[in-house]
Amino acid sequence: MHILLTGATGFVGQRLARHLIGQGHTVTALVRAVSSPPALQRLRSLGVSCTVTELQESRTLSCALGAADAVMHLAAVTRAADARDYHRVNAGGTRAVLRTAAALDTPPTVVFCSSIAAAGPSTPGRPRTETDAPAPVSHYGRSKLAAEAVVRGHADRVPATIVRPPVVYGPGDPGLFPTLAGMVRAGVGVRPAPSGAHYCLVHVDDLCAALLTALTAGRRLGPEEPGAGVYQVCDGTPRSWQEICRSAARALDRKPPLLLSLPRAAVMAAAAVAEAAARSRGGQALLNRDKARELVQASWTCTSDQARAELGFVPVRTALDREFRAALADP
């Protein structure tokens, strides 16, 4: 197929491009003028055609969508200055794609990569399912839920499927493993959530496999069932923060860090300081107040039962120690 890929210069997007090309698809990536030159070079070296544009540039977007059999829509921001910026990119960009696709005589199929943040945290001991009522706790999560609503709102014209991953890690991971490695090397780290909190993870290659299968075999969104056409994907093993840190330590051949519990107020205060410091430098903080709202929750777990039943999704990369070591070898 001819696949149009948004968010191609990001962590998941670059990996997905490799999978798409490896399966023989033709890939066109919509990239911004400010995209990272090394990321663009990596895409072009794979054989990806890059079109420089903004999603709101309707003429270029219409031409690109009209030439595509399918769209893998990954473009999003995970850190922003305020709620408006999250919604402008995450919901607004999605609206541009779906609205333009809906205007075509033959709209392409759209697979939208959302996030478990759109669903919200889980109750300890009870993983979230696709039919649970969403309750996002962050501006990011609410913007991704708004983007899902946009996709649903066009489902009568545009065949579409939504995939919700939890924390994604693997080679090129810009967030989880670098954070863990820093704590392990320092010998001390923080535990921002309650001690009993658990998290679901998914390896980037397993997520890419799920996105591809969602395109070829997934159900499409429809009005008959709220969970139809929505797939959560994870590796099936909820882990505590302590377990995740121990896996990182083993991958680095170090001792596990001493974890200090921080009360919610301290986490939020530290995030506010980091945010202000980054703003003074004209950048975005790795930890901001929006991300802190997610970090202090009691649990982030989900099931992949629907993806397993309907897509045949079986995660392959589930040994955390081994995959962290592999990420070190293939940064």
Side-chain angles (χ1 to χ4, degrees):
M1 287 187 284
H2 182 185
I3 310 293
L4 186 65
L5 176 61
T6 75
T9 59
F11 163 45
V12 178
Q14 291 185 63
R15 201 74 176 182
L16 180 58
R18 184 183 301 184
H19 281 257
L20 289 167
I21 293 294
Q23 290 196 1
H25 299 295
T26 300
V27 181
T28 297
L30 296 184
V31 299
R32 301 179 65 206
V34 295
S35 297
S36 158
L40 292 176
Q41 180 57 42
R42 284 191 290 271
L43 289 172
R44 290 182 174 123
S45 69
L46 290 171
V48 174
S49 174
C50 297
T51 298
V52 179
T53 188
E54 297 287 338
L55 290 181
Q56 287 76 11
E57 211 292 289
S58 58
R59 180 175 298 181
T60 304
L61 183 59
S62 181
C63 289
L65 287 166
D69 299 305
V71 181
M72 309 295 276
H73 180 41
L74 278 62
V77 294
T78 57
R79 294 180 182 83
D82 55 37
R84 288 173 298 180
D85 286 342
Y86 282 112
H87 281 266
R88 177 178 56 80
V89 176
N90 296 346
T94 302
R95 184 175 296 106
V97 171
L98 270 294
R99 183 179 291 168
T100 305
L104 298 172
D105 291 337
T106 306
T109 299
V110 174
V111 175
F112 173 53
C113 187
S114 184
S115 168
I116 200 65
S122 57
T123 302
R126 185 187 179 279
R128 270 196 166 273
T129 69
E130 289 86 349
T131 57
D132 289 337
V137 295
S138 62
H139 296 315
Y140 169 70
R142 284 186 281 273
S143 72
K144 294 295 277 187
L145 184 61
E148 288 189 9
V150 169
V151 179
R152 288 183 183 280
H154 290 82
D156 60 333
R157 281 285 299 140
V158 182
T161 298
I162 294 171
V163 176
R164 287 178 184 160
V167 176
V168 185
Y169 73 98
D173 164 22
L176 179 64
F177 190 69
T179 298
L180 294 170
M183 293 195 305
V184 169
R185 290 178 176 124
V188 64
V190 297
R191 187 177 62 210
S195 59
H198 280 71
Y199 307 86
C200 280
L201 311 177
V202 68
H203 191 278
V204 65
D205 287 335
D206 285 332
L207 172 57
C208 289
L211 289 166
L212 284 164
T213 311
L215 172 61
T216 57
R219 293 177 67 185
R220 306 306 174 210
L221 297 172
E224 66 282 356
E225 300 174 46
V230 180
Y231 298 101
Q232 298 174 163
V233 292
C234 68
D235 71 5
T237 306
R239 298 175 175 87
S240 69
W241 189 237
Q242 294 95 317
E243 290 172 312
I244 295 170
C245 288
R246 284 197 290 268
S247 288
R250 287 191 289 267
L252 291 162
D253 294 321
R254 299 283 191 100
K255 292 182 179 179
L258 172 66
L259 292 178
L260 305 176
S261 295
L262 289 182
R264 180 189 184 100
V267 175
M268 297 305 297
V273 170
E275 196 174 323
R279 191 182 302 117
S280 69
R281 298 190 299 269
Q284 292 288 341
L286 186 63
L287 173 65
N288 58 22
R289 284 172 293 177
D290 201 57
K291 182 57 64 178
R293 293 184 192 100
E294 296 175 354
L295 291 175
V296 298
Q297 301 303 314
S299 213
W300 287 95
T301 60
C302 61
T303 70
S304 293
D305 293 349
Q306 188 156 294
R308 181 176 292 105
E310 297 182 9
L311 304 180
F313 171 73
V314 178
V316 174
R317 299 178 181 275
T318 59
L320 203 55
D321 295 21
R322 182 184 64 209
E323 299 307 334
F324 279 161
R325 287 194 184 94
L328 280 172
D330 182 15

